[in-house]
Amino acid sequence: AQRVTQPEKLLSVFKGAPVELKCNYSYSGSPELFWYVQYSRQRLQLLLRHISRESIKGFTADLNKGETSFHLKKPFAQEEDSAMYYCALSGHAGGTSYGKLTFGQGTILTVHP
Amino acid sequence: DGGITQSPKYLFRKEGQNVTLSCEQNLNHDAMYWYRQDPGQGLRLIYYSQIVNDFQKGDIAEGYSVSREKKESFPLTVTSAQKNPTAFYLCASSFGEGGHEQYFGPGTRLTVT
């Protein structure tokens, strides 16, 4: 079974402060990890995926297989980063990857001016 | 704003009635998904379909049914057997293989009284 845990329901920081949204996963195979974001009155959308190793909007996330974590980080938070963030996992089996995702519970990030 | 659409945005039903939520996509995606979003529980997968005329149960399929007669369409029926149908329902689509981005619709908020 695969599971994704986001331990913080709410996270508040001030503008310019570093932010880290935690994500831990449980999966016996080789996972693919994602961060999705939902801004106010907008659709849920992909922010980044571990396989791309890219930085989007200043956010980065590194897959740590030893700690089974995929924390999302940004060195200097901005007010426009305020949103709901979901960590998600896609599993593999028999060399084929499945499209379906398992989502965490979500973290609401609020960046204060 | 095409891509993936859901209708209606708000839906009200009396207890004991079945109701069907619409999901259409023009992205030529093979895979489509239905999620339920509840506060504090994240997104939970109801049903998914990786190809026309085929679909699989997700984590919380009880009380729901789907069909996939066309590539573009994946309607969800919330039956009277669903114990807690009031929720926000999200439809998504992707190219099917794992690691591909899922594109989400705007959602339908269903209220059953």
Side-chain angles (χ1 to χ4, degrees):
Chain A
Q2 53 196 60
R3 190 169 63 203
V4 177
T5 302
Q6 294 177 249
E8 304 138 330
K9 285 187 180 178
L10 303 170
L11 185 61
S12 290
V13 300
F14 285 99
K15 177 182 173 181
V19 63
E20 180 180 67
L21 290 83
K22 290 184 168 41
C23 172
N24 289 91
Y25 67 90
S26 173
Y27 185 64
S28 57
S30 179
E32 293 187 45
L33 276 297
F34 307 83
W35 277 98
Y36 279 78
V37 62
Q38 190 169 28
Y39 301 104
S40 179
R41 288 186 289 278
Q42 292 188 30
R43 302 182 184 203
L44 189 62
Q45 59 188 286
L46 178 68
L47 178 63
L48 55 80
R49 67 193 84 186
H50 91 269
I51 200 166
S52 300
R53 295 182 172 273
E54 57 196 347
S55 173
I56 302 292
K57 298 184 178 182
F59 283 99
T60 59
D62 291 317
L63 179 60
N64 186 322
K65 291 187 177 181
E67 295 183 358
T68 59
S69 68
F70 188 57
H71 303 327
L72 183 69
K73 301 176 185 179
K74 185 169 182 176
F76 307 103
Q78 302 300 314
E79 289 178 70
E80 54 265 31
D81 295 329
S82 296
M84 169 74 92
Y85 291 81
Y86 288 102
C87 183
L89 178 154
S90 177
H92 287 253
T96 302
S97 57
Y98 295 124
K100 73 185 189 90
L101 294 171
T102 297
F103 284 84
Q105 300 92 325
T107 297
I108 298 174
L109 172 65
T110 303
V111 181
H112 300 284
Chain B
D1 186 30
I4 180 163
T5 59
Q6 292 183 244
S7 61
K9 190 172 181 179
Y10 299 97
L11 194 52
F12 298 88
R13 279 294 181 271
K14 294 288 187 187
E15 204 172 300
Q17 293 179 334
N18 291 355
V19 59
T20 297
L21 283 61
S22 167
C23 179
E24 305 276 334
Q25 54 98 1
N26 62 2
L27 301 168
N28 199 33
H29 286 165
D30 291 311
M32 297 186 75
Y33 314 82
W34 274 105
Y35 296 92
R36 173 179 169 141
Q37 189 178 29
D38 295 286
Q41 297 197 57
L43 274 72
R44 291 181 291 167
L45 183 65
I46 303 172
Y47 267 99
Y48 66 104
S49 167
Q50 293 179 307
I51 198 167
V52 175
N53 292 321
D54 189 40
F55 49 83
Q56 287 79 40
K57 292 181 179 180
D59 301 316
I60 54 165
E62 186 175 348
Y64 299 97
S65 66
V66 293
S67 63
R68 187 84 188 277
E69 296 176 3
K70 298 188 298 181
K71 188 175 185 177
E72 302 79 16
S73 179
F74 191 42
L76 173 75
T77 297
V78 184
T79 75
S80 56
Q82 168 50 232
K83 291 184 171 55
N84 295 299
T86 295
F88 190 62
Y89 291 88
L90 282 172
C91 180
S93 68
S94 75
F95 282 112
E97 288 295 313
H100 284 277
E101 178 178 356
Q102 287 192 15
Y103 291 79
F104 285 83
T108 292
R109 184 165 298 282
L110 172 65
T111 302
V112 177
T113 57

